[in-house]
Amino acid sequence: MLGRRFFTFALLLAAASGPALAAKAPAKTPPAATDASSPARRQALLQYQKDLVSVAAPQADPIPLMGAALLARPLPDQPDFNSYHTLIDRAAAAQGAGPEISWARLTDCDAKASDCPNADALAKLVQQAPDNAAVWLLKLGQDLRDGKNDDARQDLAKAAAAKVYDDYTGATLKALSTTVTVLPPPTNVVGPLSATNGADVQLTLVFGLAEGQPQPALQATARLCEENADKAGIKTDCLTLGKLLEWGSSPLARSLGLHLREVLADDASQQEDAKRLRRNLVWQVQSFSQLSMRAKGDTAVAQHLLKLARSGGTQMSLVLTALHDYDMPVDAPSDWEPGKAG
Protein backbone atom coordinates (compact mmCIF):
# COMPACT_ATOMS: atom_id res chain seq x y z
CA MET A 1 0.00 0.00 0.00
CA LEU A 2 1.88 2.96 -1.28
CA GLY A 3 0.66 5.55 1.22
CA ARG A 4 1.51 3.42 4.22
CA ARG A 5 4.85 2.43 2.73
CA PHE A 6 5.84 5.94 1.76
CA PHE A 7 4.97 7.59 5.05
CA THR A 8 5.59 4.86 7.61
CA PHE A 9 8.66 6.59 9.01
CA ALA A 10 6.92 9.96 9.10
CA LEU A 11 4.01 8.50 11.01
CA LEU A 12 6.26 6.76 13.53
CA LEU A 13 8.48 9.80 13.84
CA ALA A 14 5.61 12.13 14.60
CA ALA A 15 3.86 9.77 16.98
CA ALA A 16 6.87 8.63 18.99
CA SER A 17 8.19 10.42 22.03
CA GLY A 18 11.49 10.95 20.21
CA PRO A 19 12.19 11.11 16.47
CA ALA A 20 13.89 8.20 14.76
CA LEU A 21 14.98 7.64 11.19
CA ALA A 22 16.51 4.63 9.55
CA ALA A 23 18.74 4.97 6.54
CA LYS A 24 17.03 3.68 3.44
CA ALA A 25 18.76 1.58 0.83
CA PRO A 26 17.44 1.26 -2.73
CA ALA A 27 14.86 -1.45 -3.11
CA LYS A 28 16.30 -4.64 -4.61
CA THR A 29 13.13 -5.32 -6.54
CA PRO A 30 10.71 -2.81 -8.05
CA PRO A 31 8.09 -1.83 -5.45
CA ALA A 32 5.24 -2.52 -7.85
CA ALA A 33 6.44 -6.07 -8.27
CA THR A 34 5.67 -6.87 -4.64
CA ASP A 35 1.98 -6.27 -5.34
CA ALA A 36 1.84 -8.73 -8.22
CA SER A 37 -0.30 -11.81 -7.80
CA SER A 38 1.63 -14.18 -10.08
CA PRO A 39 5.16 -14.83 -11.37
CA ALA A 40 4.03 -13.89 -14.87
CA ARG A 41 2.75 -10.52 -13.74
CA ARG A 42 5.87 -9.90 -11.66
CA GLN A 43 7.94 -10.52 -14.76
CA ALA A 44 5.68 -8.21 -16.76
CA LEU A 45 6.15 -5.47 -14.16
CA LEU A 46 9.93 -5.86 -14.38
CA GLN A 47 9.79 -5.66 -18.16
CA TYR A 48 7.58 -2.57 -18.01
CA GLN A 49 10.09 -0.86 -15.76
CA LYS A 50 12.93 -1.79 -18.11
CA ASP A 51 10.93 -0.46 -21.06
CA LEU A 52 10.35 2.83 -19.25
CA VAL A 53 14.10 3.17 -18.75
CA SER A 54 14.79 2.40 -22.42
CA VAL A 55 12.26 4.96 -23.64
CA ALA A 56 13.42 7.72 -21.25
CA ALA A 57 17.19 7.13 -21.45
CA PRO A 58 17.83 8.85 -24.82
CA GLN A 59 16.68 12.22 -23.45
CA ALA A 60 19.23 14.92 -22.73
CA ASP A 61 17.57 16.92 -19.96
CA PRO A 62 18.64 16.24 -16.36
CA ILE A 63 15.23 15.60 -14.77
CA PRO A 64 14.06 12.91 -17.25
CA LEU A 65 17.51 11.31 -16.99
CA MET A 66 17.21 11.37 -13.21
CA GLY A 67 13.83 9.65 -13.49
CA ALA A 68 15.28 7.00 -15.80
CA ALA A 69 18.20 6.46 -13.43
CA LEU A 70 15.94 5.97 -10.42
CA LEU A 71 13.80 3.53 -12.35
CA ALA A 72 16.94 1.63 -13.36
CA ARG A 73 18.52 1.53 -9.90
CA PRO A 74 16.73 -1.57 -8.53
CA LEU A 75 16.69 -3.48 -11.83
CA PRO A 76 19.00 -6.50 -12.12
CA ASP A 77 21.29 -7.05 -15.10
CA GLN A 78 20.82 -3.69 -16.76
CA PRO A 79 23.17 -3.04 -19.70
CA ASP A 80 25.86 -0.50 -18.86
CA PHE A 81 24.40 2.18 -21.13
CA ASN A 82 21.07 2.00 -19.27
CA SER A 83 22.45 1.39 -15.79
CA TYR A 84 21.76 3.64 -12.81
CA HIS A 85 25.43 4.68 -12.68
CA THR A 86 25.57 5.71 -16.35
CA LEU A 87 22.20 7.48 -16.34
CA ILE A 88 22.78 9.47 -13.15
CA ASP A 89 26.23 10.47 -14.40
CA ARG A 90 24.64 11.70 -17.63
CA ALA A 91 22.04 13.60 -15.61
CA ALA A 92 24.77 15.23 -13.51
CA ALA A 93 26.65 16.28 -16.68
CA ALA A 94 23.56 17.62 -18.44
CA GLN A 95 23.03 21.34 -18.82
CA GLY A 96 20.90 22.72 -16.01
CA ALA A 97 21.61 19.89 -13.57
CA GLY A 98 20.92 21.08 -10.03
CA PRO A 99 21.47 19.84 -6.49
CA GLU A 100 18.59 17.37 -6.80
CA ILE A 101 20.76 15.38 -9.23
CA SER A 102 23.71 15.43 -6.83
CA TRP A 103 21.36 14.26 -4.08
CA ALA A 104 20.32 11.29 -6.21
CA ARG A 105 24.00 10.56 -6.92
CA LEU A 106 24.64 10.06 -3.21
CA THR A 107 23.52 6.44 -3.56
CA ASP A 108 25.84 5.79 -6.52
CA CYS A 109 28.32 4.14 -4.19
CA ASP A 110 29.51 0.83 -2.79
CA ALA A 111 27.96 0.21 0.61
CA LYS A 112 30.00 -2.98 1.07
CA ALA A 113 33.17 -0.91 0.79
CA SER A 114 31.84 1.66 3.31
CA ASP A 115 31.92 4.17 0.48
CA CYS A 116 28.45 5.63 0.99
CA PRO A 117 27.27 8.28 0.48
CA ASN A 118 29.11 9.14 -2.71
CA ALA A 119 31.85 11.52 -1.55
CA ASP A 120 32.00 13.49 -4.82
CA ALA A 121 28.25 14.02 -4.79
CA LEU A 122 28.31 15.21 -1.18
CA ALA A 123 31.15 17.64 -1.91
CA LYS A 124 29.20 18.92 -4.93
CA LEU A 125 26.09 19.42 -2.81
CA VAL A 126 28.00 21.55 -0.31
CA GLN A 127 28.99 23.80 -3.23
CA GLN A 128 25.59 23.81 -4.93
CA ALA A 129 23.32 24.24 -1.90
CA PRO A 130 25.19 25.76 1.04
CA ASP A 131 21.96 27.37 2.29
CA ASN A 132 20.09 24.04 2.49
CA ALA A 133 20.02 22.61 6.01
CA ALA A 134 19.38 19.12 4.63
CA VAL A 135 22.85 19.09 3.09
CA TRP A 136 24.50 19.96 6.40
CA LEU A 137 22.44 17.40 8.32
CA LEU A 138 23.50 14.80 5.80
CA LYS A 139 27.11 15.80 6.38
CA LEU A 140 26.51 15.83 10.15
CA GLY A 141 25.54 12.17 10.03
CA GLN A 142 28.63 11.35 8.01
CA ASP A 143 30.93 13.23 10.37
CA LEU A 144 29.44 11.62 13.47
CA ARG A 145 29.84 8.21 11.85
CA ASP A 146 33.49 8.97 11.19
CA GLY A 147 34.09 10.26 14.73
CA LYS A 148 34.54 13.87 13.61
CA ASN A 149 32.55 15.41 16.45
CA ASP A 150 33.96 18.92 16.05
CA ASP A 151 33.05 18.90 12.37
CA ALA A 152 29.56 17.66 13.26
CA ARG A 153 29.16 20.60 15.63
CA GLN A 154 30.03 22.95 12.79
CA ASP A 155 27.57 21.14 10.53
CA LEU A 156 24.85 21.77 13.11
CA ALA A 157 25.70 25.47 13.21
CA LYS A 158 25.62 25.71 9.42
CA ALA A 159 22.30 23.88 9.29
CA ALA A 160 20.87 26.32 11.85
CA ALA A 161 22.10 29.25 9.75
CA ALA A 162 20.62 27.85 6.52
CA LYS A 163 17.69 29.43 4.72
CA VAL A 164 15.75 26.31 3.67
CA TYR A 165 15.38 22.60 4.33
CA ASP A 166 14.83 20.49 1.22
CA ASP A 167 15.59 16.78 0.94
CA TYR A 168 14.61 16.89 -2.76
CA THR A 169 11.83 14.33 -2.42
CA GLY A 170 9.62 16.71 -4.40
CA ALA A 171 12.14 16.79 -7.24
CA THR A 172 12.42 13.00 -7.06
CA LEU A 173 8.65 12.60 -7.32
CA LYS A 174 8.58 15.01 -10.26
CA ALA A 175 11.33 13.11 -12.09
CA LEU A 176 9.70 9.72 -11.54
CA SER A 177 6.11 10.79 -12.23
CA THR A 178 7.17 12.53 -15.44
CA THR A 179 9.10 9.49 -16.60
CA VAL A 180 6.44 6.84 -15.90
CA THR A 181 3.97 8.67 -18.16
CA VAL A 182 6.12 8.22 -21.28
CA LEU A 183 4.78 4.68 -21.64
CA PRO A 184 1.41 3.34 -20.43
CA PRO A 185 1.47 0.02 -18.58
CA PRO A 186 0.60 -2.90 -20.89
CA THR A 187 -2.42 -5.08 -20.30
CA ASN A 188 -0.42 -7.89 -18.72
CA VAL A 189 0.75 -5.42 -16.07
CA VAL A 190 -2.52 -3.61 -15.44
CA GLY A 191 -4.73 -6.67 -15.36
CA PRO A 192 -7.97 -7.14 -17.30
CA LEU A 193 -10.18 -6.07 -14.39
CA SER A 194 -8.25 -2.96 -13.36
CA ALA A 195 -10.39 0.05 -12.49
CA THR A 196 -7.55 2.54 -12.88
CA ASN A 197 -6.16 1.89 -16.39
CA GLY A 198 -2.68 1.45 -14.94
CA ALA A 199 -2.48 4.74 -13.04
CA ASP A 200 -2.21 2.79 -9.79
CA VAL A 201 0.79 0.86 -11.15
CA GLN A 202 2.50 4.11 -12.14
CA LEU A 203 1.70 5.69 -8.78
CA THR A 204 3.11 2.71 -6.89
CA LEU A 205 6.33 2.89 -8.90
CA VAL A 206 6.68 6.63 -8.29
CA PHE A 207 6.10 6.61 -4.54
CA GLY A 208 7.84 3.32 -3.94
CA LEU A 209 11.04 4.29 -5.74
CA ALA A 210 11.07 7.76 -4.16
CA GLU A 211 11.28 6.03 -0.79
CA GLY A 212 14.76 4.78 -1.67
CA GLN A 213 16.29 8.23 -1.78
CA PRO A 214 18.88 9.16 0.89
CA GLN A 215 17.72 10.90 4.04
CA PRO A 216 19.57 13.37 6.29
CA ALA A 217 20.63 12.22 9.73
CA LEU A 218 17.53 13.41 11.58
CA GLN A 219 17.80 10.82 14.33
CA ALA A 220 21.45 11.70 14.95
CA THR A 221 20.54 15.38 14.98
CA ALA A 222 17.82 14.82 17.57
CA ARG A 223 20.21 12.84 19.73
CA LEU A 224 22.95 15.48 19.44
CA CYS A 225 20.53 18.22 20.45
CA GLU A 226 18.98 16.35 23.36
CA GLU A 227 22.28 15.12 24.78
CA ASN A 228 23.71 18.65 24.72
CA ALA A 229 20.64 20.58 25.87
CA ASP A 230 22.66 21.94 28.80
CA LYS A 231 25.08 23.71 26.44
CA ALA A 232 23.71 27.11 25.56
CA GLY A 233 25.31 27.38 22.13
CA ILE A 234 24.12 24.00 20.93
CA LYS A 235 20.66 24.49 22.41
CA THR A 236 20.32 27.82 20.61
CA ASP A 237 21.39 26.28 17.31
CA CYS A 238 18.99 23.38 17.79
CA LEU A 239 16.04 25.66 18.50
CA THR A 240 16.92 27.83 15.50
CA LEU A 241 17.22 24.74 13.32
CA GLY A 242 13.93 23.47 14.69
CA LYS A 243 12.12 26.60 13.50
CA LEU A 244 13.51 26.04 10.01
CA LEU A 245 12.58 22.36 10.02
CA GLU A 246 9.00 23.18 10.98
CA TRP A 247 8.70 24.68 7.50
CA GLY A 248 10.82 22.00 5.85
CA SER A 249 10.04 20.01 2.73
CA SER A 250 8.99 16.74 4.36
CA PRO A 251 6.82 15.40 7.19
CA LEU A 252 9.98 13.92 8.72
CA ALA A 253 11.71 17.29 8.87
CA ARG A 254 8.63 19.04 10.21
CA SER A 255 8.23 16.37 12.87
CA LEU A 256 11.81 16.78 14.05
CA GLY A 257 11.47 20.56 14.14
CA LEU A 258 8.35 20.34 16.29
CA HIS A 259 10.00 17.71 18.50
CA LEU A 260 12.98 20.00 19.13
CA ARG A 261 10.65 22.83 20.15
CA GLU A 262 8.65 20.49 22.37
CA VAL A 263 11.67 19.20 24.30
CA LEU A 264 13.98 22.24 24.25
CA ALA A 265 11.76 25.32 24.47
CA ASP A 266 11.70 27.02 27.88
CA ASP A 267 8.17 28.33 27.39
CA ALA A 268 5.52 25.76 28.35
CA SER A 269 3.02 27.26 25.91
CA GLN A 270 5.51 26.74 23.07
CA GLN A 271 5.96 23.13 24.11
CA GLU A 272 2.21 22.54 24.11
CA ASP A 273 1.79 24.24 20.74
CA ALA A 274 4.50 22.04 19.23
CA LYS A 275 2.84 18.94 20.67
CA ARG A 276 -0.50 19.99 19.14
CA LEU A 277 1.06 20.58 15.74
CA ARG A 278 2.86 17.23 15.80
CA ARG A 279 -0.48 15.56 16.52
CA ASN A 280 -1.97 17.34 13.50
CA LEU A 281 1.00 16.21 11.42
CA VAL A 282 0.33 12.57 12.26
CA TRP A 283 -3.30 13.15 11.28
CA GLN A 284 -2.25 14.68 7.95
CA VAL A 285 0.11 11.81 7.16
CA GLN A 286 -2.49 9.20 8.09
CA SER A 287 -5.17 10.97 6.05
CA PHE A 288 -2.89 11.08 3.02
CA SER A 289 -2.19 7.39 3.49
CA GLN A 290 -5.92 6.69 3.31
CA LEU A 291 -6.23 8.85 0.20
CA SER A 292 -3.35 7.10 -1.54
CA MET A 293 -4.93 3.72 -0.82
CA ARG A 294 -8.13 4.98 -2.44
CA ALA A 295 -6.05 5.65 -5.54
CA LYS A 296 -5.48 1.91 -6.02
CA GLY A 297 -9.10 1.58 -7.13
CA ASP A 298 -9.95 5.07 -8.34
CA THR A 299 -8.52 6.36 -11.63
CA ALA A 300 -9.30 10.00 -10.89
CA VAL A 301 -7.53 9.96 -7.53
CA ALA A 302 -4.51 8.10 -8.90
CA GLN A 303 -4.18 10.49 -11.83
CA HIS A 304 -4.57 13.52 -9.58
CA LEU A 305 -1.84 12.35 -7.21
CA LEU A 306 0.43 11.75 -10.21
CA LYS A 307 -0.36 15.27 -11.41
CA LEU A 308 0.55 16.70 -8.00
CA ALA A 309 3.79 14.72 -8.02
CA ARG A 310 4.65 16.19 -11.45
CA SER A 311 4.09 19.72 -10.14
CA GLY A 312 7.53 19.80 -8.54
CA GLY A 313 6.44 20.98 -5.12
CA THR A 314 7.73 19.53 -1.88
CA GLN A 315 6.54 16.32 -0.28
CA MET A 316 4.83 18.34 2.44
CA SER A 317 3.06 20.61 -0.06
CA LEU A 318 1.88 17.55 -2.00
CA VAL A 319 0.31 16.08 1.14
CA LEU A 320 -1.46 19.31 2.14
CA THR A 321 -2.62 20.09 -1.41
CA ALA A 322 -4.04 16.60 -1.85
CA LEU A 323 -5.95 16.83 1.43
CA HIS A 324 -7.30 20.24 0.45
CA ASP A 325 -8.33 19.06 -3.01
CA TYR A 326 -10.40 16.24 -1.51
CA ASP A 327 -11.87 18.36 1.31
CA MET A 328 -10.05 16.39 3.99
CA PRO A 329 -9.34 18.38 7.18
CA VAL A 330 -5.72 19.10 8.10
CA ASP A 331 -6.44 19.49 11.81
CA ALA A 332 -7.10 16.39 13.87
CA PRO A 333 -10.48 16.10 15.64
CA SER A 334 -10.36 16.98 19.31
CA ASP A 335 -11.02 13.37 20.37
CA TRP A 336 -8.47 11.80 18.02
CA GLU A 337 -5.19 10.29 19.16
CA PRO A 338 -2.23 9.10 17.07
CA GLY A 339 -2.51 5.44 16.22
CA LYS A 340 -6.27 5.54 15.72
CA ALA A 341 -7.62 4.78 12.25
CA GLY A 342 -8.81 8.17 11.03
Side-chain angles (χ1 to χ4, degrees), residues 272-310:
E272 284 302 312
D273 184 61
K275 184 176 181 180
R276 176 184 63 83
L277 291 173
R278 288 187 82 215
R279 179 172 167 274
N280 284 342
L281 179 62
V282 182
W283 168 264
Q284 292 158 12
V285 167
Q286 189 163 313
S287 295
F288 183 83
S289 174
Q290 294 166 358
L291 181 62
S292 64
M293 284 186 284
R294 274 178 53 191
K296 295 182 72 66
D298 189 318
T299 302
V301 175
Q303 290 179 339
H304 188 66
L305 292 183
L306 282 170
K307 178 182 177 182
L308 291 179
R310 288 195 298 272

Side-chain angles (χ1 to χ4, degrees), residues 2-339:
L2 72 95
R4 288 192 185 278
R5 180 171 60 243
F6 192 52
F7 288 115
T8 294
F9 279 103
L11 187 59
L12 292 175
L13 184 65
S17 59
L21 179 68
K24 297 178 181 177
K28 293 183 178 180
T29 57
T34 62
D35 295 332
S37 58
S38 69
R41 185 160 179 252
R42 286 196 294 271
Q43 187 58 42
L45 284 163
L46 278 170
Q47 188 57 53
Y48 172 56
Q49 197 165 340
K50 291 179 180 179
D51 291 343
L52 283 170
V53 174
S54 296
V55 171
Q59 301 192 57
D61 293 332
I63 294 299
L65 281 170
M66 176 183 170
L70 295 175
L71 281 162
R73 185 168 61 185
L75 292 174
D77 304 321
Q78 278 292 93
D80 287 344
F81 61 86
N82 272 356
S83 68
Y84 167 67
H85 173 75
T86 297
L87 292 170
I88 202 62
D89 272 3
R90 284 181 54 204
Q95 184 175 2
E100 69 279 357
I101 308 296
S102 298
W103 193 272
R105 281 188 68 225
L106 290 167
T107 56
D108 186 20
C109 56
D110 185 357
K112 292 181 180 179
S114 298
D115 190 33
C116 291
N118 183 305
D120 289 340
L122 182 54
K124 183 71 172 179
L125 272 169
V126 170
Q127 295 175 357
Q128 289 177 310
D131 287 330
N132 184 357
V135 173
W136 295 110
L137 295 186
L138 188 75
K139 189 172 181 298
L140 181 149
Q142 184 81 348
D143 287 334
L144 285 177
R145 189 196 71 177
D146 295 341
K148 300 177 180 178
N149 294 337
D150 290 342
D151 289 347
R153 172 67 185 96
Q154 292 304 310
D155 297 333
L156 177 64
K158 290 175 181 177
K163 296 179 180 178
V164 298
Y165 174 96
D166 188 356
D167 62 11
Y168 303 106
T169 300
T172 298
L173 291 169
K174 179 179 180 180
L176 286 165
S177 58
T178 300
T179 304
V180 297
T181 59
V182 301
L183 192 67
T187 304
N188 61 348
V189 170
V190 175
L193 301 179
S194 172
T196 62
N197 298 317
D200 61 327
V201 174
Q202 294 174 325
L203 196 65
T204 300
L205 274 174
V206 169
F207 281 78
L209 289 171
E211 188 183 50
Q213 286 290 72
Q215 291 285 348
L218 301 185
Q219 184 182 33
T221 301
R223 186 165 56 247
L224 178 64
C225 288
E226 291 180 40
E227 291 178 354
N228 293 277
D230 58 336
K231 299 176 182 177
I234 293 181
K235 181 177 179 179
T236 297
D237 281 346
C238 289
L239 285 169
T240 302
L241 173 63
K243 291 179 182 179
L244 180 67
L245 294 178
E246 287 188 36
W247 298 99
S249 64
S250 70
L252 283 168
R254 180 165 171 75
S255 182
L256 176 56
L258 291 168
H259 172 77
L260 291 176
R261 174 149 63 106
E262 185 179 345
V263 300
L264 297 179
D266 295 323
D267 187 339
S269 64
Q270 285 293 315
Q271 295 174 4
E272 284 302 312
D273 184 61
K275 184 176 181 180
R276 176 184 63 83
L277 291 173
R278 288 187 82 215
R279 179 172 167 274
N280 284 342
L281 179 62
V282 182
W283 168 264
Q284 292 158 12
V285 167
Q286 189 163 313
S287 295
F288 183 83
S289 174
Q290 294 166 358
L291 181 62
S292 64
M293 284 186 284
R294 274 178 53 191
K296 295 182 72 66
D298 189 318
T299 302
V301 175
Q303 290 179 339
H304 188 66
L305 292 183
L306 282 170
K307 178 182 177 182
L308 291 179
R310 288 195 298 272
S311 70
T314 67
Q315 182 184 1
M316 196 69 232
S317 69
L318 185 154
V319 170
L320 294 176
T321 301
L323 297 184
H324 177 268
D325 290 347
Y326 288 94
D327 296 321
M328 301 175 74
V330 297
D331 292 336
S334 59
D335 61 347
W336 182 84
E337 293 298 334

